[in-house]
Amino acid sequence: MDEKLTCPQKLLRMSPMVALPLAVGFISAFITGSAMDSYSVMKQPMLAPPAWLFPIAWTILYILMGLGSYYLMFAETDTPSKKKAKLVAMTLYFVQLAFNFAWSIIFFNAGQYTVAFVWLMILWVMILVMIWKSMKVCWKAAMLFVPYLLWCTFAAYLNLMIAILN
């Protein structure tokens, strides 16, 4: 991968990869802003976490996603099938980031809980395929995406229950 790079060189390469999902999350949070306050007044499902947990969880997930994209982007692809898997995984990575961004707006700003749930299911499938394709290229990258899939699975439960209860 990049064994010959020094630590500062690796950090320089890694920084934009980690900054991108963090920026997407920050902009999404800025746009949804006070709309997130509506979460506390919604009828909540039994396993709903407190609102303060979401920014912490998402920050961690965005960092993991950025690290996963770094390892995937710079992974060696010595066969045509690995090159294709990498291209598909990286393409899905960027598309799912856009879907992730839009979900918050659909859910919080538009209040379209059912549409947001369907959107989230499409996102979930993209993440699953991204992980599957990443596994063909870089196991470490794939594993860094798994917490995101797990959190989105939990988010789907929350989204569906909020759609039903509200």
Side-chain angles (χ1 to χ4, degrees), residues 23-133:
V24 167
F26 176 79
I27 294 167
S28 176
F30 180 76
I31 290 171
T32 57
S34 61
M36 178 78 178
D37 295 340
S38 64
Y39 177 79
S40 61
V41 296
M42 293 175 190
K43 291 180 186 169
Q44 300 288 327
M46 186 173 22
L47 300 175
W52 60 262
L53 181 63
F54 290 98
I56 296 167
W58 276 111
T59 299
I60 293 166
L61 291 168
Y62 286 136
I63 291 168
L64 293 174
M65 289 164 58
L67 291 172
S69 71
Y70 164 77
Y71 286 114
L72 181 60
M73 175 74 84
F74 294 105
E76 293 295 324
T77 51
D78 52 358
T79 65
S81 64
K82 280 188 176 183
K83 285 180 183 173
K84 184 176 180 184
K86 181 178 180 176
L87 177 63
V88 170
M90 286 305 300
T91 301
L92 281 171
Y93 176 74
F94 291 113
V95 173
Q96 67 79 28
L97 267 180
F99 263 69
N100 179 306
F101 176 83
W103 178 87
S104 299
I105 295 165
I106 296 166
F107 186 88
F108 291 110
N109 292 55
Q112 296 294 315
Y113 307 136
T114 304
V115 173
F117 177 73
V118 172
W119 192 266
L120 186 55
M121 291 294 86
I122 296 167
L123 174 62
W124 190 90
V125 170
M126 278 193 272
I127 298 165
L128 185 64
V129 174
M130 179 183 70
I131 291 169
W132 176 56
K133 291 296 186 178

Side-chain angles (χ1 to χ4, degrees), residues 2-16:
D2 55 4
E3 292 81 17
K4 296 179 183 180
L5 296 178
T6 65
C7 188
Q9 290 171 321
K10 286 180 185 179
L11 286 173
L12 193 60
R13 257 188 175 185
M14 191 181 292
S15 295

